[in-house]
Amino acid sequence: MRTTRHVVAHVLAPAVAALAVGAVVLTPLLVAGPALAAGADRQPAGTHRPVASEPPARVDFTAGVRSTDHGAGIVTVTGTVPPGESVEVAGDVVEPVWTAGDVDGHWTARVHVHPGEHVVRATSQVSGQSIDLPVRMLVLLPPAMAATVDGIARTITLDGTGHPGAHLVVRDGGATRAETDVAADGTWHVVLRDLAFGHHHVAVGQYFDGALNGGVDDVYDLSGAPAVEHATASRQTEHIVLDGRAPARSALTFTDRRGPVTGADGEPVVVHVGDDTSWRAELPIPDDVRLDVITVTAHDGADEIGATDAHVAIPSALTGTVEQLDDGRVRLSGTGEAGGTVTLEDESGTTLTDADGEPLRTAIGRSWELVVPRDALPGAAVVAQQRVQDVEQGALRLVLPGTSGRPGPGTGSDTGPSAGSGTALPEGAHRPTAGRIHTGDARATAAGRLAYTGADVVRPAVASLVLLALGAAALPLAGVVRRRATTRR
């Protein structure tokens, strides 16, 4: 009996010990469990218990060509793939490229391709699915351009060539000013308007197949300097005439080596340019100047926006003298513009002719000279008209000597009486002179533009003829008186 009890005790002792240890281990959990449950029940109102997230939607494998840079020979391929999965882009390319999908399942790869027709293959490295993408790599030339800069109109006109169908973006200093497409014949045209004066960096980018495929740029200077289209000087009117174009609503001033050019009122000449940009100015011819340089300056308010020099060749003024020769002819001579001509006219503007009906005309070299029978000239005066390249460049009215039987040789000049030899004129009388003719209208008739100069020789000539007649009549009487005196001796 004792032996049996001893075995039972030994068997029960380990069981009791195990129960005691379990009670110690489980006691904190049994105590904490209700507390945690109670705490969960006491969460603030409005607080949501976390909900298990839904599994991400499956991303399909896709691929496509985003752009082709023909100049660099690069094709950019993009698509979708499950996040983290790898994609190989190979096929007819220079070297294969590997990439992987990002957290959103997007992937991008850039591969080099030779010019020509090719097939680029994108393959998912997980599913093994492949997509073939045909591409065409062109030998694409960059655009070209030529510019016409008009500072007066404040425009830059661009004409050029490019790839047909390409889209061009024109920028000035980084700011987009215009966009256009290249025409089917490869040409394009753009006008940039309302530009500020100064430097402009114009760049043209050519976009084709989704990429920038070449460009061209240049720097242009937009000046407000006026344009002088015509600059002429007229000895007929004694004025210099300038005309041309200048920025609209600008003011023009004129200076030469003596300073500001002044008008008849003594004030500096100022020309205001209208909206049509055209202008015209009449300036007096300066004294003793053969080549005048006039600076035309444009002003925008108080700002000077440009200047241009106008070079004007001023013809020499016509001079002339008159001399009666011993044989009864008349010599008319003087100086003028070399290369011009001198034509003799009467005071009504009609050209005088010789016995053969040819105009009385001569060329001007260092000087000019015409020897004409007195009978071929009018009675009182003749007009010497200077022409340079068929343009009238001043005239002189030359007073002629008397006809046969009048006082002997005499001369006239445009500066006053000549010192030439000849019979002395009666006291108080003047030698014939030459008077320069000025006109404000080159088309006016000679009669309307002549001013009389010189002395009236008719009365002295009549008196001389009377004296000669009396002398001739007295000769027979003198002979009779002489014979009587001889008889008496």
Side-chain angles (χ1 to χ4, degrees):
M1 293 296 290
R2 290 180 180 177
T3 303
T4 304
R5 291 175 181 173
H6 178 76
V7 173
V8 172
H10 283 281
V11 173
L12 293 175
V16 172
L19 291 173
V21 172
V24 173
V25 174
L26 294 175
T27 299
L29 296 177
L30 295 174
V31 173
L36 290 174
D41 293 338
R42 290 195 298 270
Q43 287 183 350
T47 301
H48 299 282
R49 292 185 175 88
V51 179
S53 60
E54 297 179 0
R58 176 170 179 79
V59 179
D60 294 331
F61 176 62
T62 62
V65 175
R66 186 173 70 184
S67 65
T68 303
D69 187 341
H70 296 274
I74 296 176
V75 177
T76 300
V77 183
T78 187
T80 60
V81 72
E85 290 189 8
S86 178
V87 176
E88 179 193 37
V89 180
D92 194 3
V93 300
V94 175
E95 291 182 354
V97 173
W98 287 267
T99 187
D102 58 17
V103 295
D104 295 324
H106 298 111
W107 63 271
T108 301
R110 301 171 75 243
V111 291
H112 290 268
V113 178
H114 293 298
E117 303 284 343
H118 302 279
V119 174
V120 176
R121 175 170 296 171
T123 303
S124 171
Q125 297 299 289
V126 175
S127 66
Q129 183 182 2
S130 296
I131 299 176
D132 289 340
L133 305 171
V135 297
R136 182 181 61 167
M137 186 64 66
L138 304 174
V139 179
L140 199 64
L141 297 177
M145 70 177 178
T148 302
V149 181
D150 189 344
I152 294 172
R154 297 171 57 187
T155 62
I156 297 178
T157 302
L158 303 174
D159 291 282
T161 58
H163 187 74
H167 185 69
L168 303 182
V169 178
V170 183
R171 297 179 175 89
D172 178 13
T176 300
R177 295 299 302 263
E179 296 186 31
T180 189
D181 292 330
V182 181
D185 63 354
T187 63
W188 59 274
H189 173 84
V190 165
V191 180
L192 306 181
R193 305 181 185 276
D194 300 325
L195 300 176
F197 296 113
H199 296 287
H200 292 267
H201 183 193
V202 177
V204 178
Q206 177 175 252
Y207 293 87
F208 184 72
D209 278 351
L212 176 63
N213 278 281
V216 61
D217 69 310
D218 208 338
V219 176
Y220 306 103
D221 184 41
L222 200 68
S223 172
V228 179
E229 297 175 347
H230 303 96
T232 59
S234 173
R235 281 294 181 182
Q236 197 77 6
T237 63
E238 292 295 324
H239 278 94
I240 294 172
V241 178
L242 306 177
D243 63 54
R245 298 173 60 241
R249 297 177 295 282
S250 62
L252 306 183
T253 59
F254 307 86
T255 57
D256 59 15
R257 63 181 183 180
R258 300 171 301 172
V261 178
T262 58
D265 57 359
E267 296 295 325
V269 177
V270 178
V271 173
H272 295 279
V273 183
D275 290 335
D276 63 352
T277 72
S278 64
W279 62 274
R280 184 177 186 274
E282 288 192 10
L283 311 175
I285 289 180
D287 297 330
D288 303 324
V289 175
R290 288 283 291 143
L291 179 62
D292 199 15
V293 180
I294 301 173
T295 301
V296 186
T297 305
H299 304 266
D300 184 9
D303 298 328
E304 181 179 318
I305 57 178
T308 302
D309 287 341
H311 297 261
V312 186
I314 301 175
S316 299
L318 183 67
T319 67
T321 61
V322 180
E323 179 184 2
Q324 184 169 354
L325 304 178
D326 294 337
D327 59 4
R329 294 183 300 170
V330 176
R331 176 188 290 124
L332 301 99
S333 60
T335 61
E337 178 67 17
T341 60
V342 173
T343 303
L344 298 184
E345 302 174 354
D346 61 19
E347 296 189 83
S348 67
T350 302
T351 300
L352 302 178
T353 58
D354 58 17
D356 297 329
E358 296 296 325
L360 293 177
R361 178 182 302 150
T362 186
I364 305 174
R366 293 185 177 180
S367 60
W368 65 273
E369 178 180 288
L370 280 169
V371 178
V372 184
R374 180 63 183 87
D375 295 340
L377 301 175
V382 68
V383 174
Q385 176 67 62
Q386 175 178 235
R387 288 181 174 82
V388 179
Q389 296 180 351
D390 294 328
V391 177
E392 293 184 353
Q393 291 289 357
L396 287 176
R397 183 180 187 273
L398 302 173
V399 178
L400 299 173
T403 56
S404 164
R406 296 178 180 180
T411 61
S413 71
D414 63 330
T415 58
S418 170
S421 62
T423 304
L425 296 178
E427 184 178 353
H430 300 283
R431 295 182 181 275
T433 60
R436 182 167 287 111
I437 300 168
H438 304 284
T439 176
D441 186 355
R443 295 173 296 179
T445 62
R449 65 174 183 255
L450 299 179
Y452 175 77
T453 61
D456 187 355
V457 298
V458 176
R459 292 183 181 179
V462 172
S464 299
L465 291 174
V466 172
L467 291 175
L468 289 174
L470 291 176
L475 288 177
L477 179 59
V480 173
V481 172
R482 183 177 180 181
R483 285 195 297 273
R484 289 183 178 180
T486 303
T487 302
R488 289 179 181 178
R489 291 178 184 176

